[in-house]
Amino acid sequence: MQTETVVENPYRQLFLAQQANSISLRAQSWKARRKLLKGFLAFVTDNRSRIHQALNADLGKSEIETDISEVYPVVTELKHAINNLSNWVQPEPVDAPLTFLGTTSEVQYEPKGVCLIIGPWNFPFNLTLGPLVSCLAAGNTAILKPSEFTGNTSRLIRELVQEYFQEDQVAVIEGDADTAAQLLKLPFDHIFFTGSTAVGKIVMRAAADHLSSVTLELGGKSPTVIDSSANLRDAAKRIAFGKFLNVGQTCVAPDYVLIDKAVEREFIELLQQSIISLFGVDGHLTPQSPHYGRIINSRNFNRIDTLVQDAIRLGATVELNGTSDAAQRFFHPVILSGVAVDSKIMAEEIFGPVLPILSYTHEDEILPIIQSRPKPLAFYIFSTRSAFRQKLTDAVSAGAVCMNDCVLQFSHPNLPFGGVNASGFGKAHGRHGFLAFSNEKPVLKQKRGLTMSSFLYPPFNNRVKRTINLMLRWL
Ligand code: NAD
């Protein structure tokens, strides 16, 4: 007879400690949560220079870029939660229809319990700690699993969490996919995952074992349409910023451009100038430029390079390029025109500093290209024609639409952030993030004595029949 060896999950004790704490946290007032968030705010603001150093070491980010894309989003999320928590936690009364006469009902927001937050490497500080704000605002405990590819930032997050939180409220486990797989075996009450669509599927399968709820913040190809009415100078500058910030390693970066052929040439020239003037120094973009970062690792460097080579082999024209340096993971911005729709670069998320440009002669060529691909995380439309913008907005299912700008929708505190189907589901940020980590619990209170519902109790005689007929007809 074989004896089965049961290997204990290394994180079970931590999980159980958080579970016990999460039960006691249910009795805590929202003011205690707000106090915790204020401490969290100090965690970020008091350690800015350590955050700068970590992000520079991991992704070659400049201090200002780190402030804009890592520190500021977490700080605004925190301030927004601190200022609005007293409203978010209030039970929401709902009206009673005639059939519920006498009852009073409301929706109460209860914490889900113990949550797992798995973060990506591209904005490793922002996208691991941003969800933690909503998680704590909603009264939960959390285990964080930051990305293994940004070791300096992940270590800093662990050290700061140890300094500022009790382990049974927030804990950090560093590690790779195997570590994440161990964590996913535990019965979390909610899992908030940010990363690739492929891993999102693995996370969702694991969550199914415990019926843990999930928020999946995934990626995809975000299309950018530019028509001939657009202000091309503005479009070029905004797209240059949104696409080449973080060296294109941004989930909401414009992935490809679909432009009216009549203005394609002018746009390409403006885009070339914008990229160099935003990210270069003295008209050149070299590894010495302090405004431009690095590709996360050699695997991604080679993957992006292969996409470019494949597009060129299939006939694309290189409109902008420069000397890249694989050893330093410095990938010079690339613009491609005349890209074949069936090239690899149009099949997978680019997630790098390469912008393919496709042109159309008739507007009816636009939608088939977008609609034949999975639903994107973001859809950008540059046009001064409101009817055109609305037509595209109605036709395309996307996580978000942003008109005459890009990426900006991510940081709006009152807009839900998230994808749809392949680009993810569940919403983050502000009140939407608070709701993602809360159970919206309906609470109904019935009055004493005769109630409307008692007219429907058995025996099912003619009186009940008349009542239900009346209800079906009039109520
Ligand atoms: P990834 O999916 O490779 O990794 C994300 C996290 O999942 C990491 O912490 C990693 O350790 C973990 N992981 C990896 N393999 C796993 C497995 N088999 N089981 C469990 N966990 C596993 O993603 P990434 O490369 O870090 O990030 C890039 C992707 O993330 C892009 O597709 C991008 O579009 C997407 N993204 C989406 C958003 C958003 O908000 N929607 C934001 C940033 C990045």
Side-chain angles (χ1 to χ4, degrees), residues 85 213 251 270 329:
L85 191 59
S213 54
C251 57
L270 289 165
R329 292 174 284 108

Side-chain angles (χ1 to χ4, degrees), residues 79-186:
K79 287 184 180 167
H80 189 62
I82 289 166
N83 292 334
N84 292 285
L85 191 59
S86 59
N87 289 329
W88 294 347
V89 294
Q90 293 311 318
E92 200 174 308
V94 296
D95 288 341
L98 217 50
T99 37
F100 284 80
L101 208 65
T103 64
T104 47
S105 300
E106 63 185 19
V107 179
Q108 296 182 3
Y109 302 99
E110 65 171 5
K112 285 193 170 173
V114 188
C115 303
L116 173 65
I117 297 173
I118 302 182
W121 54 260
N122 62 334
F123 293 96
F125 190 82
N126 173 2
L127 297 176
T128 309
L129 294 178
L132 181 64
V133 178
S134 306
C135 179
L136 296 180
N140 301 284
T141 72
I143 296 180
L144 313 181
K145 210 299 281 168
S147 172
E148 66 276 32
F149 294 119
T150 44
N152 296 286
T153 310
S154 300
R155 196 172 322 115
L156 178 64
I157 291 175
R158 179 172 54 72
E159 287 167 7
L160 292 178
V161 162
Q162 278 170 345
E163 226 174 281
Y164 284 80
F165 295 104
Q166 300 287 336
E167 198 187 47
D168 60 3
Q169 174 118 46
V170 187
V172 177
I173 304 291
E174 286 184 78
D176 57 12
D178 292 338
T179 306
Q182 288 291 338
L183 286 166
L184 285 168
K185 287 184 187 156
L186 296 166

Side-chain angles (χ1 to χ4, degrees), residues 237-263:
K237 197 161 187 179
R238 290 165 190 180
I239 292 170
F241 173 74
K243 175 74 189 185
F244 297 96
L245 175 84
N246 205 27
V247 198
Q249 302 166 113
T250 304
C251 57
V252 285
D255 187 273
Y256 61 97
V257 164
L258 273 168
I259 189 166
D260 188 324
K261 187 137 197 78
V263 291

Side-chain angles (χ1 to χ4, degrees), residues 163-222:
E163 226 174 281
Y164 284 80
F165 295 104
Q166 300 287 336
E167 198 187 47
D168 60 3
Q169 174 118 46
V170 187
V172 177
I173 304 291
E174 286 184 78
D176 57 12
D178 292 338
T179 306
Q182 288 291 338
L183 286 166
L184 285 168
K185 287 184 187 156
L186 296 166
F188 283 95
D189 298 298
H190 189 72
I191 300 170
F192 191 106
F193 170 80
T194 306
S196 59
T197 301
V199 178
K201 290 180 186 174
I202 298 173
V203 169
M204 195 166 162
R205 275 188 211 109
D209 278 345
H210 300 291
L211 294 176
S212 308
S213 54
V214 288
T215 302
L216 299 178
E217 297 287 356
L218 311 177
K221 294 185 81 60
S222 297

Side-chain angles (χ1 to χ4, degrees), residues 208-404:
D209 278 345
H210 300 291
L211 294 176
S212 308
S213 54
V214 288
T215 302
L216 299 178
E217 297 287 356
L218 311 177
K221 294 185 81 60
S222 297
T224 303
V225 172
I226 306 172
D227 79 353
S228 57
S229 77
N231 182 323
L232 295 181
R233 190 170 294 277
D234 278 357
K237 197 161 187 179
R238 290 165 190 180
I239 292 170
F241 173 74
K243 175 74 189 185
F244 297 96
L245 175 84
N246 205 27
V247 198
Q249 302 166 113
T250 304
C251 57
V252 285
D255 187 273
Y256 61 97
V257 164
L258 273 168
I259 189 166
D260 188 324
K261 187 137 197 78
V263 291
E264 182 186 18
R265 192 54 23 214
E266 189 184 347
F267 172 72
I268 288 175
E269 279 161 22
L270 289 165
L271 185 64
Q272 291 162 339
Q273 292 160 17
S274 295
I275 294 169
I276 302 300
S277 78
L278 289 183
F279 298 99
V281 176
D282 297 332
H284 298 284
L285 215 169
T286 66
Q288 279 68 48
S289 168
H291 314 298
Y292 190 72
R294 294 291 180 272
I295 298 294
I296 184 70
N297 53 31
S298 304
R299 189 172 61 87
N300 270 298
F301 189 99
N302 295 334
R303 178 186 62 77
I304 300 161
D305 192 45
T306 307
L307 293 179
V308 174
Q309 298 318 322
D310 175 74
I312 294 172
R313 193 175 52 79
L314 291 176
T317 304
V318 179
E319 302 283 358
L320 176 75
N321 203 352
T323 313
S324 291
D325 182 342
Q328 291 191 59
R329 292 174 284 108
F330 170 81
F331 203 115
H332 192 283
V334 176
I335 305 175
L336 299 171
S337 67
V339 174
V341 209
D342 56 354
S343 52
K344 277 194 199 133
I345 209 163
M346 288 305 294
E348 64 177 80
E349 181 184 11
I350 300 169
F351 220 57
V354 182
L355 187 64
I357 297 181
L358 287 77
S359 61
Y360 62 83
T361 7
H362 299 289
E363 279 174 17
D364 52 14
E365 293 164 38
I366 298 171
L367 287 176
I369 294 177
I370 300 173
Q371 287 168 331
S372 60
R373 291 173 165 73
K375 296 173 189 170
L377 187 57
F379 178 29
Y380 300 118
I381 307 164
F382 288 82
S383 168
T384 53
R385 295 184 297 147
S386 61
F388 175 74
R389 294 194 306 248
Q390 194 54 50
K391 183 182 150 200
L392 293 185
T393 304
D394 291 344
V396 174
S397 179
V401 172
C402 179
M403 299 172 180
N404 296 323

